[in-house]
Amino acid sequence: MDLIDMFRTLQSQGIDFLEAISGMSKDDLLACGITNSLAGRWRTLAETFYGPTRSRKQQQACIDAAREAGFSLDALHVIDKNARSLLDGDQWALRLELLALRGTVDEINRAAVAIVRSRNRLVEGADAMAHARRAVKGGKNTDAKGCRNLTIYGPERDIAALRAGWEKSARRLRAADPRLSYEQAMYDAAMSGGRAVETITPHVVVGIGDWAKLLRDDGDDCVFALTDGTTITGAELVAKLMDDHHVVGLYDPVAGPVNLYRSRRLASPKQSALLDAESILCEGPGCTTPATESQNHHIRAWNRGGFTNVRDMTKLCRRCNARNDDDPDAPPRNGRVEREHGRILHRRGDDPPTRNTHPIKNLSAQAIAARQ
Ligand SMILES: [Zn+2]
């Protein structure tokens, strides 16, 4: 058995490893050559699965499930950490449920976060509890390069608003000095006291079902034939749904985004708003960059005759955009995004297509229109 085989075997026996170390002291673990924080993490895990509990049967069921799945220590860690985040309810039942997840450790983590978050949302006072956890941590240790690291932890809406404020200043700073990297500009914006800006625009997703068929794309508007034999423009169709603060996006589940209607007060570019709601996150598989911080990517590059039809575009963050193989005829390197039957896929050569499977994508206009 070579080293890689040994490593794979060890990785697939995380639960047995925990049993083996459950009697070891922290010093014994540190003597194995691991960091203090990793030793702490392993001891917490060993305590969960092999420590004393009043729920012996459930604990044993979790051990059996972990063994059957062949989970690594990292997978068990993300499952246990998320189960411990449950604000109210049976942690053991949840742990068993999460042990049924499959995929890479990152995929399991994201799915587990989504499941636990949806439970916690229902708990009375959850917002206040999240607010109570607000903290600024770290910033006390200087590294070899002379820098320090600071973590700001708080409710998602606060942090999103803070980032949005910094983004706004960072865009101005980069326009004035193009040599600034995005990260540098964000830092400068933060250091100059960039304020939080709450920017929430409700986006109503209307999927075009069997009741309407797109007749033509008439420049700035579309004309639909309704199943009662009449025709109606997109603007008339959404006028009833529209409120001063809403944008209403029409999405064809098969073709993709169709058009966006917005109140005059909103100045956000039409295509960006449609694409943001369609994707929610960058379309790069495994990527977590919000669509609003991503770039409008031309699926067919400009220099290859791509045109500014919204259906020829999608959202990719700077990193995924730079990695995208823009030339569909060149030998595949990192793969490229494509729109097929309205949905965005990632293709690399003849490999089966992949997509960004982040759970929040279930709330994207792409997914909603497909379900309607
Ligand atoms: Zn990305």
Side-chain angles (χ1 to χ4, degrees):
M1 190 188 274
D2 68 14
L3 272 178
I4 298 297
D5 286 336
M6 283 165 67
F7 181 66
R8 280 204 191 101
T9 306
L10 183 63
Q11 286 293 83
S12 68
Q13 295 178 9
I15 195 71
D16 297 312
F17 185 82
L18 289 177
E19 184 174 21
I21 64 162
S22 60
M24 283 171 76
S25 70
K26 196 165 184 182
D27 285 342
D28 289 341
L29 286 175
L30 290 177
C32 296
I34 60 172
T35 61
N36 198 39
S37 60
L38 191 57
R41 175 190 286 191
W42 285 0
R43 276 170 57 88
T44 304
L45 273 177
E47 185 68 19
T48 295
F49 289 98
Y50 291 99
T53 173
R54 261 173 281 162
S55 316
R56 287 289 306 157
K57 265 173 100 172
Q58 285 175 295
Q59 188 186 44
Q60 187 58 47
C62 285
I63 292 172
D64 295 341
R67 187 171 289 129
E68 196 193 316
F71 278 136
S72 66
L73 290 171
D74 284 342
L76 293 173
H77 166 66
V78 297
I79 287 169
D80 186 51
K81 185 183 73 175
N82 282 297
R84 284 171 183 268
S85 302
L86 186 68
L87 294 174
D88 188 29
D90 185 347
Q91 275 192 15
W92 279 110
L94 176 63
R95 207 170 269 119
L96 192 59
E97 186 183 334
L98 300 183
L99 284 163
L101 293 170
R102 295 292 181 267
T104 65
V105 173
D106 291 326
E107 285 166 350
I108 291 171
N109 185 42
R110 283 187 205 131
V113 167
I115 291 169
V116 182
R117 175 92 175 98
S118 66
R119 302 274 162 89
N120 284 344
R121 251 181 222 288
L122 307 175
V123 175
E124 201 178 329
D127 286 347
M129 283 187 252
H131 184 66
R133 291 202 170 79
R134 69 196 185 278
V136 172
K137 295 176 193 167
K140 291 177 194 156
N141 297 312
T142 308
D143 69 11
K145 292 171 219 143
C147 292
R148 293 184 178 194
N149 205 345
L150 191 69
T151 306
I152 306 175
Y153 183 80
E156 58 175 353
R157 200 82 63 222
D158 289 358
I159 303 292
L162 192 60
R163 279 194 60 110
W166 292 352
E167 278 259 330
K168 217 173 145 191
S169 317
R171 269 199 298 274
R172 263 202 312 273
L173 292 170
R174 289 188 83 200
D177 181 0
R179 286 168 309 171
L180 277 180
S181 74
Y182 172 80
E183 281 80 10
Q184 287 172 332
M186 285 292 276
Y187 180 89
D188 293 348
M191 290 308 274
S192 61
R195 292 254 191 88
V197 212
E198 182 106 68
T199 46
I200 298 178
T201 306
H203 186 121
V204 178
V205 175
V206 178
I208 304 168
D210 293 339
W211 50 272
K213 186 168 164 28
L214 181 60
L215 277 183
R216 58 179 189 272
D217 227 334
D218 240 4
D220 216 27
D221 204 353
C222 340
V223 177
F224 298 89
L226 300 186
T227 46
D228 66 359
T230 60
T231 58
I232 189 169
T233 68
E236 289 164 349
L237 186 66
V238 299
K240 294 183 185 76
L241 295 166
M242 198 135 147
D243 175 278
D244 199 29
H245 296 275
H246 283 72
V247 289
V248 179
L250 288 183
Y251 295 84
D252 186 318
V254 181
V258 174
N259 210 343
L260 179 88
Y261 302 86
R262 62 180 190 268
S263 62
R264 291 229 174 88
R265 289 173 40 154
L266 295 166
S268 71
K270 206 166 173 173
Q271 286 174 329
S272 257
L274 264 179
L275 294 168
D276 288 349
E278 187 192 31
S279 295
I280 303 288
L281 295 181
C282 163
E283 292 288 352
C287 190
T288 56
T289 306
T292 50
E293 291 177 24
S294 298
Q295 300 173 330
N296 290 343
H297 166 75
H298 293 261
I299 294 169
R300 280 189 83 75
W302 278 103
N303 56 8
R304 300 188 57 83
F307 37 99
T308 356
N309 183 329
V310 72
R311 269 167 261 167
D312 293 318
M313 299 167 80
T314 190
K315 303 300 286 202
L316 284 181
C317 71
R318 284 172 312 117
R319 194 177 146 271
C320 294
N321 209 351
R323 283 175 54 82
N324 190 70
D325 297 342
D326 288 342
D327 183 350
D329 304 321
R333 291 180 43 185
N334 305 313
R336 49 182 275 111
V337 286
E338 298 273 4
R339 187 184 288 281
E340 290 179 19
H341 309 296
R343 304 194 67 180
I344 300 294
L345 296 174
H346 190 266
R347 279 199 180 276
R348 190 178 170 281
D350 295 328
D351 297 348
T354 54
R355 57 165 53 103
N356 190 343
T357 54
H358 192 289
I360 202 172
K361 285 254 177 200
N362 291 330
L363 300 174
S364 68
Q366 210 174 129
I368 293 170
R371 284 200 297 270
Q372 277 176 349

